[in-house]
Amino acid sequence: MQEPLVSVPASIAAAYSASRLIVRVESASDASYVAGIPRERIAWVQTCLALADFAWPEEIALDIVLSDPVHEARRLYALARLYEGSLPRLTIPSLPGAAAAAKLAIALHFPVRLLSIQPASGAVADLEQILDGYLHDPCASEPVEFFHSVLASLLRDAAPNLWTILGCDPGLFPRIADGGSAEEPESPVYPNDFVAQRLAGIVASGGECADCAYRNWCAGFFKWPDPSYDCSSVKRLLGRIDETARELRRDLTEMETFEYDRQAV
Ligand code: SF4
C-alpha cells in the first residue's frame, strides 16, 4: 500500500517527523523553515511563482502552482532560464488563461499537472485544447498530467486512478489546513480507502458513475466534492483519452507485427 504523503504548511512541517511531506510554502518566511526539515522527508515543496527564484537547495523538487495563468504565463520564459536543465513541475489550475499557459509550458518543456476540480464546460474545452497540444505538439517532451499517466496505464492495461495521479486522494495525500497543527492535524481525517468507499456509495445510489465507461480509472474523481456535478463535458474529454490509448495500442501492435515479419524474412 502506498505510504501517505502529508501536505503540510512549512511552519509546522518539523512536527511531522514520521511522515514524508509535501511542504507548502507561501511566503519567504515560510521558505526559511525548509532548511530545517531533513531532505529525505521532503517529497517536494509546493510554492507560488513569486517564490520560484528563492534560493532553494538544489536537491529539493519544486511544484510551482500558478494562481493567475493569464498574467503569470509570460514569466515562464524567465523561469525556464532560471532552472535550465532541471525544470520544476508547474501546476496549472482550471482558471482563465490555463490553456495558453499550458501551451507555453509544454513548449518550454516543463512537466505539468493540470488541476481541474469539477470544471465548467469552458474549462473542459481548455483541457481538450491542452490534450491536443500534448499529443500533437512536436515540442511536447515532458509529462502533462493527468493525460500522461492515464495513457501510459491504459497502454499497459493497468487501471490508473485520477485521484492518485493528481495527488488529490485525501486518504493518500492528507492535507493539514493552513491553520492546522500537529496536535489537530487532519480535519476531517479520511481513511486510506476513501476513494473506493466514496465510489461504492455513488454506484450503490445509482449515481452517474454506476454505468460510466471510465469508472475504472476516473473512480468518481469529478464527482468530488459535489456528487451532483454533471459529467457530460468531462466524459467527452475522457473518451478522447480512451480513444487515443486505443489508437496507440493499435499502432504498437502493427509495429510489433511489422518487426516480427521483418525479422522472419
Ligand atoms: S467521469 Fe463522472 S460519471 Fe464517470 S466515473 Fe468519473 S465522476 Fe463518475
Side-chain angles (χ1 to χ4, degrees):
M1 183 173 289
Q2 184 176 329
E3 181 195 355
L5 275 186
V6 183
S7 169
V8 63
S11 57
I12 59 168
Y16 292 83
S17 56
S19 309
R20 287 264 292 157
L21 303 171
I22 300 165
V23 181
R24 302 199 307 274
V25 171
E26 292 180 359
S27 65
S29 58
D30 271 358
S32 61
Y33 290 107
V34 173
I37 307 167
R39 295 286 180 276
E40 66 277 9
R41 290 200 10 249
I42 302 178
W44 65 82
V45 166
Q46 178 183 305
T47 191
C48 54
L49 189 58
L51 291 172
D53 57 0
F54 185 83
W56 300 104
E58 258 184 37
E59 65 274 27
I60 296 276
L62 283 182
D63 179 24
I64 308 283
V65 182
L66 302 191
S67 55
D68 180 9
V70 170
H71 296 103
E72 290 175 324
R74 69 177 78 101
R75 295 176 57 195
L76 298 184
Y77 293 104
L79 190 64
R81 281 196 299 276
L82 182 67
Y83 284 94
E84 196 176 3
S86 180
L87 295 179
R89 184 176 75 173
L90 291 180
T91 290
I92 304 178
S94 275
L95 292 171
K103 185 176 179 192
L104 184 55
I106 290 170
L108 293 171
H109 307 295
F110 283 95
V112 171
R113 173 176 68 144
L114 301 168
L115 201 51
S116 204
I117 309 296
Q118 301 199 315
S121 57
V124 177
D126 280 353
L127 291 173
E128 290 182 278
Q129 209 178 315
I130 299 167
L131 175 64
D132 282 336
Y134 172 63
L135 294 176
H136 305 300
D137 184 341
C139 291
S141 60
E142 297 298 319
V144 174
E145 300 294 9
F146 56 95
F147 306 147
H148 178 85
S149 291
V150 168
L151 284 170
S153 300
L154 292 176
L155 280 176
R156 293 195 308 267
D157 282 329
N161 176 324
L162 288 192
W163 298 82
T164 310
I165 291 169
L166 290 170
C168 292
D169 180 340
L172 295 178
F173 301 88
R175 189 179 195 278
I176 311 305
D178 288 341
S181 70
E183 295 74 33
E184 296 269 339
E186 300 120 44
S187 180
V189 176
Y190 294 95
N192 256 13
D193 63 348
F194 164 80
V195 169
Q197 277 190 30
R198 191 162 190 283
L199 180 61
I202 294 174
V203 170
S205 65
E208 196 178 0
C209 300
D211 59 359
C212 177
Y214 315 112
R215 189 175 89 193
N216 275 353
W217 50 275
C218 173
F221 176 77
F222 291 102
K223 291 291 184 187
W224 172 260
D226 178 2
S228 67
Y229 172 79
D230 176 359
C231 283
S232 47
S233 304
V234 151
K235 282 179 178 172
R236 194 179 63 231
L237 171 71
L238 302 192
R240 287 195 55 199
I241 296 172
D242 199 44
E243 179 54 31
T244 301
R246 265 181 272 161
E247 283 169 12
L248 288 171
R249 206 178 294 123
R250 274 196 298 272
D251 290 349
L252 282 174
T253 305
E254 278 174 23
M255 279 172 60
E256 281 165 11
T257 307
F258 173 76
E259 187 60 22
Y260 178 83
D261 290 348
R262 197 178 64 84
Q263 285 177 4
V265 171

